[in-house]
Amino acid sequence: MTTNTASAVGPAESLRRLYFVRFGFALVWAGLLFTTASSLGPVAIALLVLYPLFDVVAAVLDARSAKAGCSGVRVAKPPARGEAPVVAAGKPITALYVNVAISLLAAAGLGVAAASGIPDVLRVWGSWAVVAGLVQLFVGAARRGLGGQWPMILSGAISVVAGTSFILQATMDGASLTALAGYATLGGIFFLVSALRLRSTPSR
């Protein structure tokens, strides 16, 4: 086994576990929000703020895992023509910390927006979904060599589209939080698919 392959095992396994946790959290969170989405009560507000805060924790764990894996990387030889590098840790780590800052701002913004009503919540959530989606798309693209990242790339792109739709929905009558539960569910499914792909991707 080459040094390249050995160094990829740790990050891939850590990502797989994290993706499974994110899948489970997304489904539970979506179910709870769906039952409280009719109004902005204390439970719904707490759930709205909790989601980006969980994203902060997940991003920090992801970045630390990637940094630990990066510290042990020693490239034995350049990849063959047309072959993606096994680990590309530096850029994803920076993007993950950018996501931490964005998600902290989103949590604070959602707490403030909740006092104004559902339309303002949708505007803040939508803006966060657009920016976070772009970050997720970038991180997934940078990690292609680990395998299982196409669901993350697709999820990031869909997040951008969904975020835009939330902002537009905020301008319409009858704005609701129900769509956010669907957004979280779909995101969780993408994490599950990615986790399964990471598990089944053979090492080189």
Side-chain angles (χ1 to χ4, degrees):
M1 180 179 291
T2 66
T3 310
N4 238 17
T5 302
S7 64
V9 173
E13 180 61 23
S14 297
L15 271 181
R16 187 172 73 86
R17 290 196 299 265
L18 180 60
Y19 287 173
F20 278 131
V21 170
R22 297 198 68 164
F23 163 69
F25 173 83
L27 258 60
V28 172
W29 184 91
L32 291 174
L33 184 68
F34 188 80
T35 62
T36 61
S38 58
S39 63
L40 267 177
V43 175
I45 294 172
L47 287 170
L48 290 169
V49 174
L50 175 63
Y51 196 95
L53 290 180
F54 180 84
D55 200 58
V56 168
V57 174
V60 169
L61 292 175
D62 193 348
R64 287 181 176 176
S65 175
K67 188 180 294 184
C70 182
S71 65
V73 172
R74 297 291 185 273
V75 179
K77 62 179 180 178
R81 180 177 298 177
E83 182 181 83
V86 175
V87 178
K91 290 181 180 179
I93 290 172
T94 301
L96 287 167
Y97 281 121
V98 169
N99 191 56
V100 167
I102 293 168
S103 296
L104 285 173
L105 288 174
L110 287 167
V112 173
S116 301
I118 290 178
D120 280 352
V121 167
L122 289 174
R123 290 186 185 96
V124 174
W125 190 286
S127 301
W128 173 53
V130 169
V131 179
L134 290 172
V135 172
Q136 186 178 24
L137 196 158
F138 174 82
V139 171
R143 284 174 163 169
R144 289 193 313 276
L146 284 174
Q149 292 303 301
W150 281 110
M152 292 293 93
I153 294 172
L154 182 58
S155 177
I158 291 175
S159 182
V160 173
V161 175
T164 303
S165 73
F166 296 148
I167 295 172
L168 293 175
Q169 184 184 342
T171 65
M172 303 175 185
D173 294 333
S176 168
L177 299 176
T178 306
L180 302 187
Y183 168 83
T185 301
L186 183 59
I189 291 172
F190 277 118
F191 276 117
L192 175 62
V193 174
S194 220
L196 294 174
R197 289 288 299 144
L198 276 168
R199 182 179 187 180
S200 62
T201 299
S203 58
R204 299 189 179 203

